[in-house]
Amino acid sequence: MAYTLDGEYKRLENLIKKNSGRLPFECGCACGEVVDLELVEEHYDQYARKWIESHINVIGNAGLDYASKPPVPRTLFTITSTEAQKGYKTRCYRYDKEFNILEYFERR
């Protein structure tokens, strides 16, 4: 189910609901929480004059976002359809069941 973009969106939505609307997040030393997901369908951007492929925006607070009171949620990272189709161990993000945290890795 999670090898499509829709399946991955549903899986992450269920994890957020299971954790009372807030999923812990970690990227290096920046920690925070995921508060929402946004599924963006493929569309044509008039200003950029190009097609934007379908993707998931992971929205939350991390790092210095807590300096403002209340923190303003921002896009933490984006999941494309090619990233969702990859094998679990080669993705740039993972959900760790043992520690109940969503981890993001910089892949180059």
Side-chain angles (χ1 to χ4, degrees), residues 80-99:
T80 60
S81 58
T82 56
E83 189 67 34
Q85 292 173 354
K86 288 183 180 179
Y88 188 71
K89 293 190 177 192
T90 59
R91 292 181 182 172
C92 67
Y93 64 96
R94 285 190 204 140
Y95 174 70
D96 192 341
K97 291 180 183 178
E98 182 181 351
F99 297 107

Side-chain angles (χ1 to χ4, degrees), residues 25 56-59 75-79 92-93 102-104:
F25 171 77
I56 300 171
N57 288 331
V58 179
I59 301 169
T75 301
L76 299 173
F77 64 97
T78 301
I79 302 171
C92 67
Y93 64 96
L102 183 66
E103 299 173 308
Y104 179 72

Side-chain angles (χ1 to χ4, degrees), residues 5 9 38-43 52-57:
L5 202 59
Y9 178 77
E38 179 184 22
L39 182 61
V40 179
E41 298 296 328
E42 182 179 29
H43 67 280
I52 307 297
E53 70 172 317
S54 299
H55 61 276
I56 300 171
N57 288 331

